[in-house]
């Protein structure tokens, strides 16, 4: 996984993000690559360097996906073939960012070179490479949130390509005590098993439990050539697989965060002769799934970081405004009222100045806890900025909202804010704005925020430790 950036003049390049696999595969320090990406280009095979540079130049000029294969020197000194798939995005400063991943395709290349003399085999390998390239491109170009659809497409494509009866993905629980079938493809007429394979206890099947341990510890592929020939110790496993109609199967580890997190598998419901390189081919598919799941995990982490305040854990403005838009749209369609309250911690600067910024952070976190305690799950609570917080009370008219705001103000007034043994006197002021029950009007988030902010100012001017709504300041 990487994010590669090249300056507008093409003279500077770096990797703002590159996974730690760069260290294990190539012996490169990701921190060094954050500043200068030249070390990556130094390990490209000399015969491939010119074509790599030309492909990057073309992708930057046309803003088309960068897909290229080249040999790269591993930390061991050997060269492996890698395939890069990435999507470019031009930035405001003229630089270009590529979001993508490297896939080690050496197993495929080894097969390709060794079997080149066989036309039929070469056709198969070319078809497999084309399939992997297409599926990889689908993962790269998909929009955020479409991971399930992409995985289902992979399972369907792989199932049809290898002519198996089922293809599936399982996820292990955090403690490796259960496994859950998260995605499944079944050939027409083949019974789906996904509904019966949720949170299956692994230790119920002792033989399979050992296979899972080997899968996790040694990254081993589990191959059952003939279910009927399973050893006596695998009696429960044999009975279950026979009931499911499975004759033979492969299970290949899937990794995220550098650890085995589950497995990808295929079933055959009839006796068949598998390819001698079947495990290697499925490992390539597993690598594709691992990369996609790791990218999805990273995207979710980045998204969560972008919409949450790191100090309080509350959502921020970036999250709050779309939720406010949704509430306005619901009011305009169905006249469902809601109200908005803006809170400000009184004399917060004085707390920072006299008690220290750590004490100020403590007050912010404690006030966050009060807000969450006094609001409902359906309400939206966010840190608006500094010592200002905002709450959107869903399905609540302004009158009911003022009662809730009053309770919050009273709760803060009576709360023991103790930091390092010292009691801190804390009060809050609030401004309340809301919708009426008639008509849609032209209400906007900015208008509501502005009204609440103006009334917050009124409350401050009225001596603080109170709230103001459309009727004016109210002291509790």
């Amino acid at each position: 996984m990487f994010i590669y950036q090249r300056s507008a003049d093409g003279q500077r390049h770096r990797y703002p993000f590159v996974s730690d696999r760069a260290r294990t595969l190539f012996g490169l320090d990701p921190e060094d690559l954050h500043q200068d990406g030249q070390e990556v280009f130094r390990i490209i095979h000399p015969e491939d360097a010119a074509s790599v540079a030309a492909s990057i130049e073309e992708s930057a000029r046309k803003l088309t996906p960068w897909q290229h294969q080249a040999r790269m020197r591993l930390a061991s000194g050997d060269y492996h073939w890698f395939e890069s798939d990435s999507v470019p995005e031009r930035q405001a400063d003229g630089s270009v960012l590529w979001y993508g991943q490297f896939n080690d395709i050496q197993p495929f290349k080894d097969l390709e070179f060794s079997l080149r003399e066989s036309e039929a085999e070469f056709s198969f390998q070319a078809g497999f490479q084309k399939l992997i390239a297409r599926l990889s491109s689908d993962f790269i170009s998909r929009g955020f949130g479409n991971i399930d659809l992409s995985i289902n497409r992979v399972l369907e494509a792989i199932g049809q390509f290898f002519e198996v009866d089922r293809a599936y993905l399982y996820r292990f629980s955090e403690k490796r005590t259960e496994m859950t079938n998260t995605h499944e493809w079944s050939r027409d007429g083949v019974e789906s098993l996904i509904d019966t394979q949720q949170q299956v206890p692994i230790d119920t099947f002792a033989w399979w439990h050992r296979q899972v341990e080997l899968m996790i510890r040694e990254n081993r592929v589990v191959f059952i050539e003939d279910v009927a020939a399973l050893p006596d110790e695998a009696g429960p496993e044999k009975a279950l697989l026979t009931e499911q109609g499975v004759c033979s199967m492969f299970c290949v580890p899937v990794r995220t965060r550098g650890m085995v997190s589950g497995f990808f598998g295929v079933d055959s419901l009839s006796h068949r002769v598998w390819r001698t390189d079947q495990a290697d081919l499925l490992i390539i598919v597993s690598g594709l799934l691992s990369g996609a799941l790791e990218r999805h995990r990273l995207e979710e982490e980045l998204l969560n970081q972008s919409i949450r305040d790191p100090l309080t854990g509350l959502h921020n403005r970036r999250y709050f405004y779309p939720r406010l838009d949704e509430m306005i749209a619901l009011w305009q369609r169905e006249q469902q009222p809601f109200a908005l309250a803006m809170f400000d911690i009184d004399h917060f600067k004085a707390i920072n100045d006299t008690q220290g910024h750590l004490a100020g952070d403590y007050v912010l976190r404690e006030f966050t806890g009060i807000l969450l305690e006094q609001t409902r799950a359906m309400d939206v609570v966010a840190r608006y900025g500094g010592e200002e917080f905002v709450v959107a009370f869903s399905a609540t008219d302004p009158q009911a909202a003022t009662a809730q705001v009053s309770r919050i103000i009273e709760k803060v007034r009576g709360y023991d804010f103790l930091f390092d043994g010292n009691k801190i006197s804390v009060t809050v002021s609030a401004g309340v704005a809301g919708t009426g029950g008639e008509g849609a009007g032209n209400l906007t988030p900015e208008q509501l925020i502005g009204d609440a902010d103006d009334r917050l100012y009124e409350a401050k001017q009225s001596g603080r430790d109170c709230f103001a709504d459309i009727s004016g300041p109210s002291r509790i």
Side-chain angles (χ1 to χ4, degrees):
M1 300 283 297
F2 65 86
I3 301 174
Y4 172 62
Q5 183 176 29
R6 196 180 81 150
S7 62
D9 60 9
Q11 299 303 306
R12 300 178 308 282
H13 57 169
R14 67 188 190 96
Y15 287 82
F17 170 79
V18 63
S19 72
D20 204 57
R21 292 277 288 168
R23 188 192 311 276
T24 55
L25 283 174
F26 309 118
L28 301 178
D29 188 342
E31 292 296 327
D32 294 339
L33 299 180
H34 292 172
Q35 306 301 321
D36 187 356
Q38 190 58 34
E39 287 301 316
V40 172
F41 291 79
R42 290 195 180 100
I43 64 173
I44 296 174
H45 195 285
E47 294 177 4
D48 300 331
S51 63
V52 169
S55 66
I56 293 175
E57 181 66 35
E58 181 180 10
S59 177
R61 186 176 65 256
K62 297 181 179 180
L63 288 183
T64 53
W66 179 45
Q67 298 175 327
H68 199 75
Q69 297 179 2
R71 288 161 289 182
M72 301 180 73
R73 189 175 66 248
L74 303 178
S76 64
D78 297 325
Y79 279 92
H80 266 206
W81 280 94
F82 284 81
E83 183 177 70
S84 172
D85 286 289
S86 60
V87 176
E89 178 180 285
R90 193 170 307 281
Q91 305 300 298
D93 62 359
S95 66
V96 177
L97 284 177
W98 282 268
Y99 300 87
Q101 62 186 17
F102 283 115
N103 293 313
D104 186 345
I105 60 171
Q106 188 62 40
F108 174 79
K109 285 294 183 180
D110 289 340
L111 291 169
E112 175 185 337
F113 297 147
S114 65
L115 301 172
R116 192 178 294 275
E117 294 180 358
S118 170
E119 182 178 349
E121 182 62 25
F122 181 75
S123 175
F124 176 90
Q125 294 295 345
F128 181 68
Q129 183 184 31
K130 183 177 180 180
L131 174 64
I132 293 298
R134 176 172 63 81
L135 295 175
S136 180
S137 178
D138 179 60
F139 274 128
I140 291 296
S141 59
R142 68 170 176 81
F144 178 73
N146 293 327
I147 182 71
D148 293 327
L149 176 61
S150 295
I151 289 176
N152 287 334
R153 286 175 177 171
V154 168
L155 296 180
E156 179 181 7
I158 294 301
Q160 292 176 345
F161 185 84
F162 288 117
E163 299 181 346
V164 297
D165 297 297
R166 289 192 194 96
Y168 44 81
L169 185 66
Y170 275 75
R171 182 185 67 245
F172 294 135
S173 63
E174 186 174 346
K175 295 184 178 180
R176 309 290 199 279
T177 57
E178 296 177 338
M179 60 183 191
T180 293
N181 189 178
T182 59
H183 302 79
E184 180 194 61
W185 168 85
S186 299
R187 184 174 297 283
D188 288 344
V190 174
E191 180 185 5
S192 171
L193 301 177
I194 190 169
D195 291 338
T196 65
Q197 297 295 296
Q198 302 299 304
Q199 297 179 314
V200 179
I202 295 175
D203 56 7
T204 302
F205 303 97
W207 181 85
W208 176 249
H209 195 182
R210 287 194 292 276
Q211 309 313 306
V212 169
E213 289 178 346
L214 291 172
M215 195 184 294
I216 293 172
R217 289 202 313 266
E218 303 178 15
N219 206 37
R220 185 178 296 184
V221 174
V222 178
F223 173 41
I224 301 178
E225 187 174 8
D226 184 0
V227 169
L230 281 171
D232 292 341
E233 60 181 316
E237 290 85 350
K238 180 178 179 179
L240 177 61
L241 292 172
T242 300
E243 180 185 343
Q244 295 173 347
V246 179
C247 287
S248 60
M249 61 188 292
F250 273 92
C251 294
V252 187
V254 169
R255 306 177 71 88
T256 54
R257 290 182 180 269
M259 300 174 60
V260 174
S261 57
F263 60 88
F264 152 69
V266 294
D267 291 347
S268 175
L269 304 191
S270 59
H271 293 287
R272 63 177 289 169
V273 177
W274 295 92
R275 292 175 57 91
T276 57
D277 62 350
Q278 189 70 53
D280 294 329
L281 297 173
L282 293 177
I283 286 172
I284 294 174
V285 179
S286 173
L288 178 66
L289 289 169
S290 296
L293 290 169
E294 180 67 16
R295 176 190 168 192
H296 178 67
R297 180 191 68 79
L298 178 64
E299 285 176 339
E300 284 194 322
E301 285 188 0
L302 291 174
L303 176 63
N304 198 45
Q305 291 171 10
S306 72
I307 62 174
R308 284 197 181 273
D309 170 51
L311 176 64
T312 63
L314 292 178
H315 288 110
N316 57 22
R317 292 193 200 187
R318 183 173 182 177
Y319 177 88
F320 183 77
Y321 271 93
R323 303 294 80 74
L324 198 52
D325 278 325
E326 292 168 4
M327 289 185 180
I328 291 174
L330 187 59
W331 176 63
Q332 290 172 337
R333 287 196 314 271
E334 303 177 13
Q335 286 72 56
Q336 177 174 292
F338 69 95
L340 185 146
M342 182 168 283
F343 294 88
D344 183 276
I345 299 175
D346 298 328
H347 303 296
F348 184 72
K349 183 177 184 302
I351 295 174
N352 276 334
D353 291 343
T354 60
Q355 305 286 338
H357 286 277
L358 291 179
D361 290 348
Y362 162 78
V363 170
L364 292 172
R365 287 192 294 266
E366 291 300 297
F367 179 56
T368 295
I370 291 172
L371 285 178
L372 294 176
E373 176 189 287
Q374 297 293 322
T375 53
R376 305 161 299 175
M378 63 193 294
D379 300 328
V380 183
V381 184
R383 185 180 179 188
Y384 196 72
E387 66 270 28
E388 288 188 331
F389 296 76
V390 63
V391 178
F393 296 100
S394 179
T396 303
D397 60 40
Q399 291 74 28
T402 57
Q404 290 181 272
V405 169
S406 297
R407 286 193 292 270
I408 292 170
I409 292 174
E410 289 178 331
K411 180 73 174 180
V412 172
R413 186 187 301 138
Y415 189 84
D416 287 333
F417 290 85
L418 295 174
F419 182 75
D420 281 350
N422 298 318
K423 185 173 182 179
I424 305 173
S425 177
V426 179
T427 60
V428 296
S429 302
V432 183
T435 60
E438 300 179 358
N442 297 311
L443 191 62
T444 66
E446 291 75 17
Q447 178 185 338
L448 270 174
I449 292 287
D451 288 346
D453 196 33
D454 289 343
R455 290 162 190 170
L456 172 61
Y457 179 77
E458 284 186 57
K460 290 282 190 182
Q461 293 298 107
S462 298
R464 296 181 170 84
D465 191 23
C466 64
F467 73 87
D469 59 9
I470 194 171
S471 303
S474 296
R475 187 161 298 280
I476 306 158

